[in-house]
C-alpha cells in the first residue's frame, strides 16, 4: 500500500514530497542541498526535487548547470547571490505566490550555511508561503563527524576573518561557549588561523578536514600546536578546508597554563579582552584571571 501524506514522516518513500507541489496555489520554496565535491552524493530526493521545480535559483549558473547536466536535468536557472538578492527576492516570492515551485541551491552543500538564502526563507515565511527542504551534504557537519571531537554541542563560526586582530576577536567570541568550534578557512590562511586559534584558546585538540568527499580527502587530528608544526613544515595545503577545535579540557587549567595563555593573549589584546578570553578558555574565575592579567601587563 502506498503511504498517504497523512502518515508519519518516517513512512515516506524516498523521493516522495511532504505535500503536493506544483498545482496553482501550491507554490513553494524548496531548499535543495547538493554535493560538496562528489557528484554521487546528490540524493534521490534532490534529483526529483530539481526535476519537478519550475525554476532553480542558484548562486553561479555555470556551477549549477554542470550539476544538472551530470544528473540529466534541464531547467531554467535564475541567479540568486549576494549582489542581486535584494532585487531578485521579490520576484522569486511573487512566482511562488503565483504557484511556482522554486528550488534554491548554492554552489555546493546546504544552502544558507555560509551561502545565500536566509533572507529569502525569512521573507517566504513572513509572507506565509510554504518552505521545505531536501537535505543533504554539508561540509561543517561532515568535518565535525570525522573530527573525533565531541559532537554533542558545537558552535559553527562560519568563515574566520582574514585579518589577525578581527580573527582573534572572532575566536575569543566563539570561545565563550565551552563547546567544539567549527570554522571555514581558505588554504593560504590556514597556518595563520591555526596560530591565532592557539594564541587565543591554548593547545586544544583539533582537526583540519580537507577536500571532503573528493579524491584527496584528508582529516588530520592533532593538537593545535602539532597541526601548526605540520603545516609550517609542509606548506599551505591545497583545496577546501574546515577547522574543528575541541572544547576546553575538562580539568581546570593550572596557574601556569593561565599565565602562558595570558601572556600570549596580552601580546595582541587589551587586559580586559585577554582576561575574558583566557577565563572562557580555561574556566578559571574571571576576577582572578583579570587580576593576574593586570600583574602580567605591569611586568611587561
Ligand atoms: N553551504 C556549504 C556547505 O553546506 O557545506 C558551505 C559553503 S561555504 C561558501 C564554502 C566553504 O565550505 C569552503 O571555503 C570550505 O571552507 C568549506 N567546504 C566546502 N566544501 C568542502 C569540502 N569538500 N571539504 C572541506 N571543506 C569544504
Amino acid at each position: 500500500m502506498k503511504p498517504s501524506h497523512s502518515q508519519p514522516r518516517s513512512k515516506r518513500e524516498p523521493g516522495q514530497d511532504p505535500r503536493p507541489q506544483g498545482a496553482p496555489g501550491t507554490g513553494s520554496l524548496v531548499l535543495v542541498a547538493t554535493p560538496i565535491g562528489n557528484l554521487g552524493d546528490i540524493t534521490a530526493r534532490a534529483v526529483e526535487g530539481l526535476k519537478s521545480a519550475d525554476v532553480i535559483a542558484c548562486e553561479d549558473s555555470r556551477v549549477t548547470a554542470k550539476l544538472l547536466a551530470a544528473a540529466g536535468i534541464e531547467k531554467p536557472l535564475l541567479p540568486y547571490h549576494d549582489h542581486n538578492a535584494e532585487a531578485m527576492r521579490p520576484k522569486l516570492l511573487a512566482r511562488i505566490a503565483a504557484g511556482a515551485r522554486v528550488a534554491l541551491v548554492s554552489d555546493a552543500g546546504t544552502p544558507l550555511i555560509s551561502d545565500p538564502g536566509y533572507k529569502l526563507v525569512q521573507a517566504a515565511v513572513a509572507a506565509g508561503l510554504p518552505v521545505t527542504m531536501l537535505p543533504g551534504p554539508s561540509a561543517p557537519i561532515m568535518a565535525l563527524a570525522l573530527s573525533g571531537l565531541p559532537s554533542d554541542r558545537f558552535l559553527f563560526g562560519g568563515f574566520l576573518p582574514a585579518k589577525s586582530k578581527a580573527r582573534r576577536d572572532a575566536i575569543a567570541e566563539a570561545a565563550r561557549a565551552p563547546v567544539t568550534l567549527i570554522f571555514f578557512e581558505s588554504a593560504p590562511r590556514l597556518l595563520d588561523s591555526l596560530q591565532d586559534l592557539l594564541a587565543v584558546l591554548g593547545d586544544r585538540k583539533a582537526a583540519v578536514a580537507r577536500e571532503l568527499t573528493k579524491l584527496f580527502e584528508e582529516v588530520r587530528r592533532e593538537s593545535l600546536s602539532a597541526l601548526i608544526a605540520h603545516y609550517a613544515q609542509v606548506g599551505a595545503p591545497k583545496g577546501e578546508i574546515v577547522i574543528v577545535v575541541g572544547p576546553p579540557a575538562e580539568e581546570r587549567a593550572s596557574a601556569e597554563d593561565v599565565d602562558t595563555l595570558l601572556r600570549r593573549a596580552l601580546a595582541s589584546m587589551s587586559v580586559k579582552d585577554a582576561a575574558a578570553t583566557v577565563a572562557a578558555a580555561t574556566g578559571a574565575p574571571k576576577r582572578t584571571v583579570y587580576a593576574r592579567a593586570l600583574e602580567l601587563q605591569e611586568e611587561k
Side-chain angles (χ1 to χ4, degrees):
M1 193 181 92
K2 260 196 146 191
S4 79
H5 292 304
S6 60
Q7 282 186 293
R9 271 189 280 182
S10 59
K11 298 282 183 188
R12 270 186 214 138
E13 288 178 350
Q16 185 185 17
D17 287 329
R19 67 174 81 82
Q21 307 281 350
T26 58
S28 59
L29 173 62
V30 188
L31 313 175
V32 185
T34 59
I36 57 170
N38 188 324
L39 291 183
D41 290 336
I42 193 156
T43 69
R45 291 189 75 209
V47 171
E48 284 312 307
L50 293 170
K51 275 187 183 159
S52 62
D54 295 300
V55 63
I56 300 173
C58 60
E59 273 188 282
D60 181 338
S61 42
R62 289 163 304 182
V63 174
T64 300
K66 274 191 205 153
L67 175 75
L68 296 187
I73 301 170
E74 270 187 55
K75 281 288 158 183
L77 298 178
L78 276 181
Y80 183 79
H81 46 67
D82 290 344
H83 305 292
N84 74 352
E86 292 298 316
M88 284 303 294
R89 206 175 301 126
K91 293 182 188 166
L92 292 174
L93 293 172
R95 289 189 71 156
I96 298 167
R101 181 177 160 99
V102 174
L104 176 75
V105 298
S106 58
D107 283 352
T110 296
L112 281 83
I113 305 302
S114 293
D115 272 337
Y118 142 67
K119 288 190 176 167
L120 183 60
V121 171
Q122 190 180 50
V125 170
L129 298 169
V131 182
T132 187
M133 179 156 188
L134 307 177
S138 196
I141 296 301
M142 180 165 174
L144 172 69
L146 290 180
S147 68
L149 296 165
S151 56
D152 51 343
R153 298 194 304 156
F154 62 90
L155 185 149
F156 170 55
F159 281 99
L160 280 168
K163 299 220 167 109
S164 186
K165 164 80 174 82
R167 188 160 55 219
R168 287 186 181 210
D169 289 348
I171 296 166
E173 196 183 352
R176 287 194 200 136
V179 300
T180 295
L181 307 175
I182 308 173
F183 299 104
F184 287 157
E185 189 47 285
S186 71
R189 284 204 290 266
L190 175 64
L191 187 55
D192 287 349
S193 284
L194 290 173
Q195 280 164 341
D196 283 341
L197 285 162
L198 176 67
V200 178
L201 304 174
D203 204 6
R204 292 194 193 176
K205 287 184 186 169
V208 171
R210 198 170 66 82
E211 293 290 87
L212 295 172
T213 76
K214 302 186 205 176
L215 191 59
F216 296 107
E217 176 177 307
E218 177 192 45
V219 184
R220 293 195 73 85
R221 306 167 183 90
E222 289 177 279
S223 63
L224 284 168
S225 60
L227 287 167
I228 290 168
H230 172 76
Y231 289 110
Q233 198 194 355
V234 301
K238 291 201 169 69
E240 297 191 284
I241 288 173
V242 182
I243 304 175
V244 187
V245 186
E250 289 278 304
E251 66 278 11
R252 285 270 153 139
S254 67
E256 215 172 301
D257 294 336
V258 169
D259 276 14
T260 309
L261 288 174
L262 273 176
R263 284 201 177 89
R264 272 200 213 118
L266 284 167
S268 64
M269 292 181 192
S270 67
V271 169
K272 191 171 160 235
D273 287 351
T277 303
V278 174
T282 59
K286 277 186 198 158
R287 293 178 81 175
T288 321
V289 179
Y290 184 73
R292 184 65 185 142
L294 279 174
E295 284 171 11
L296 292 176
Q297 183 75 344
E298 277 165 21
E299 278 175 19
K300 272 180 160 187

